[in-house]
Amino acid sequence: MEGQGCVGNFLQRCKPYIAMISLQFGYAGMNIITKVSLNRGMSHYVLVVYRHAFATAAIAPFALVLERKVRPKITFPIFMQIFVLGLLGPVIDQNFYYAGLKFTSPTFACAMSNMLPAMTFVMAVLCRMEKLDMKKVRCQAKVVGTLVTVAGAMLMILYKGHVINFVWSGLIHHPKSYAPANATGSTDKDWLKGSILLIIATFAWASFFIVQAITMRRYSAQLSLTALVCFLGTLQSTAVTFVMERKPSVWTIGWDMNLLAAAYAGIVSSSIAYYVQGLVMKKRGPVFVTAFSPLMMIIVAIMGSFILAEKMYLGGILGAILIVMGLYSVLWGKYKEYKEKEAIEAIPEPVKVGGENGRMTTVMEDIEANDFDFEMQKTSEASKETFPVLAISAPIPQPPMIAVETPKASLRGT
């Protein structure tokens, strides 16, 4: 029974790690499948619409059933916040991300996405959601990590360098439909354009997290919030697509890679990923969730070289290394901050109240003092039983003698 308990505890501790590693494989597959679909001519505006339509259909039934008793009422301010979330995430972030992915490569897009924690930290400081005290090492680590992350992103944008070929690159035949249209390499102009689009997408995604943190304070039903964001994102993306795409043929989708890309991205990368990340974030915090993002870049780099004949450049590798170093510097600072906050919350309330009022005596100290008095009383009673009681008598001092004067008559008679 003890062995089963140890195994159960071990599996319980491993669940967050298994969940986050599985999500990184899911995100990596989404990047590869989406890149193939975009290379075959699918409009990224239409892809965003179909993606969130699938996401809404997948998560809405669970939200309606599981949160029917705990779902808060939607007021106008909450509705406006959800509307902004749908605009930032599904519309701005994903449209710009897909456009940048089309001009660059999946590995480059994943590397640029690693700027998200640093960019979120900067926005949180500007919005006064996070305090910055440069006297503390954790704050210095977050600032230095942010600067290193930005430097790595600039290096990837401005410098390519030599092509780095993998060992298996020349041994695998890549289908033409999977390979990019410009397999010999994107032009510098398209590469720069794609980099700018990816930076805008990351900025929108960081803004999404800031607004989501504010919205969750009033609307705590996570499944319902995700379903509403996906639904409003579907409507907003449809309106944007009608403006940007005038040909009705762009909406055509069959049983091909385009349908797989939309369904996969909607069900796995939107509905399931949002929910699993929320569960893990409640138990281990946002730092734990973000720490696995560089794993996706490594998986995409290997899968991209197999499937898309993707070429890696020296500048991209060096920039990616800098981004990962900066990312983990920021995450280390956030981890220390999370542990410090956790230690403060673990302090009993009487101790915290006594410390704030400047009193050294607390309830715990009073209890200990009472226990000490009780022990002393027990010791005293035990000593009475062990040793005999000796009665010591002392003579009572007599009052001083008073001298009486002899009458004079009697003296004359003698």
Side-chain angles (χ1 to χ4, degrees):
M1 295 298 293
E2 292 182 358
Q4 293 180 357
C6 294
V7 173
N9 293 334
F10 177 75
L11 294 176
Q12 195 71 21
R13 291 195 300 267
C14 288
K15 280 183 179 180
Y17 295 91
I18 297 174
M20 293 311 303
I21 293 175
S22 302
L23 280 186
Q24 300 312 311
F25 277 95
Y27 278 134
M30 185 271 296
N31 278 274
I32 298 298
I33 295 174
T34 301
K35 179 65 175 178
V36 172
S37 178
L38 294 175
N39 289 341
R40 298 181 64 178
M42 185 176 187
S43 171
H44 61 84
Y45 298 105
V46 177
L47 179 59
V48 170
V49 174
Y50 285 142
R51 168 178 176 169
H52 288 91
F54 276 106
T56 305
I59 201 170
F62 295 97
L64 291 174
V65 174
L66 299 177
E67 294 181 346
R68 62 183 183 276
K69 296 182 180 180
V70 298
R71 190 181 302 111
K73 294 182 179 180
I74 299 179
T75 60
F76 182 75
I78 294 178
F79 174 78
M80 291 305 300
Q81 290 176 359
I82 298 176
F83 183 86
V84 173
L85 285 174
L87 188 64
L88 287 173
V91 179
I92 299 177
D93 167 58
Q94 292 182 16
N95 275 297
F96 278 90
Y97 182 83
Y98 287 154
L101 179 64
K102 189 174 183 178
F103 288 119
T104 57
S105 67
T107 305
F108 184 87
C110 292
M112 295 295 289
S113 298
N114 286 331
M115 293 178 60
L116 178 64
M119 197 171 290
T120 307
F121 167 69
V122 173
M123 295 186 65
V125 172
L126 294 177
C127 296
R128 296 182 179 180
M129 297 179 65
E130 186 158 344
K131 297 180 180 179
L132 187 62
D133 187 5
M134 292 304 296
K135 295 181 181 179
K136 296 184 178 180
V137 179
R138 56 179 176 82
C139 293
Q140 297 174 3
K142 288 189 287 187
V143 173
V144 173
T146 302
L147 296 177
V148 172
T149 302
V150 174
M154 292 298 103
L155 180 63
M156 292 186 69
I157 294 172
L158 302 177
Y159 175 70
K160 276 190 173 182
H162 301 290
V163 178
I164 306 297
N165 293 318
F166 293 101
V167 178
W168 56 81
S169 299
L171 303 177
I172 301 176
H173 174 70
H174 301 87
K176 293 183 179 180
S177 59
Y178 286 6
N182 48 352
T184 57
S186 301
T187 62
D188 294 337
K189 184 178 180 181
D190 290 341
W191 197 268
L192 179 61
K193 185 191 300 183
S195 303
I196 296 173
L197 292 174
L198 290 173
I199 291 176
I200 296 174
T202 307
F203 178 79
W205 193 234
S207 304
F208 179 89
F209 278 113
I210 298 296
V211 179
Q212 185 184 26
I214 298 173
T215 308
M216 287 292 290
R217 297 172 186 173
R218 297 183 177 180
Y219 198 87
S220 57
Q222 185 178 347
L223 283 173
S224 301
L225 180 62
T226 304
L228 290 172
V229 170
C230 293
F231 177 70
L232 290 178
T234 304
L235 299 180
Q236 295 169 357
S237 301
T238 304
V240 171
T241 306
F242 277 126
V243 174
M244 302 301 296
E245 298 286 353
R246 303 298 178 87
K247 298 179 181 179
S249 59
V250 297
W251 294 93
T252 304
I253 189 171
W255 295 93
D256 53 6
M257 184 62 66
N258 296 341
L259 178 63
L260 176 62
Y264 184 94
I267 298 174
V268 176
S269 301
S270 289
S271 57
I272 296 178
Y274 290 166
Y275 182 66
V276 172
Q277 283 179 354
L279 293 179
V280 176
M281 194 177 298
K282 284 184 178 179
K283 293 184 178 180
R284 304 300 297 267
V287 176
F288 184 86
V289 174
T290 336
F292 290 84
S293 56
L295 179 62
M296 176 181 62
M297 181 180 64
I298 299 173
I299 299 172
V300 168
I302 298 175
M303 293 176 64
S305 63
F306 274 103
I307 301 174
L308 301 175
E310 182 183 347
K311 293 183 178 180
M312 294 291 296
Y313 295 93
L314 179 62
I317 294 177
L318 296 177
I321 292 174
L322 286 178
I323 288 177
V324 172
M325 291 173 58
L327 169 68
Y328 278 105
S329 179
V330 174
L331 294 179
W332 181 84
K334 292 292 293 180
Y335 173 78
K336 290 296 182 181
E337 181 182 354
Y338 177 75
K339 284 296 182 181
E340 184 177 317
K341 182 179 178 182
E342 196 176 45
I344 293 176
E345 292 177 351
I347 299 176
E349 286 298 326
V351 177
K352 288 192 283 188
V353 173
E356 292 175 359
N357 296 333
R359 297 174 59 249
M360 297 301 294
T361 305
T362 61
V363 175
M364 296 299 295
E365 292 174 353
D366 294 339
I367 294 174
E368 291 176 358
N370 293 335
D371 292 341
F372 178 76
D373 293 340
F374 181 71
E375 292 294 333
M376 290 297 294
Q377 185 178 359
K378 288 176 61 178
T379 305
S380 177
E381 293 176 355
S383 64
K384 289 180 180 178
E385 294 176 359
T386 305
F387 301 99
V389 179
L390 298 179
I392 301 176
S393 60
I396 302 174
Q398 296 294 327
M401 297 297 294
I402 301 174
V404 180
E405 184 179 358
T406 306
K408 293 181 179 180
S410 61
L411 288 175
R412 285 191 185 102
T414 59

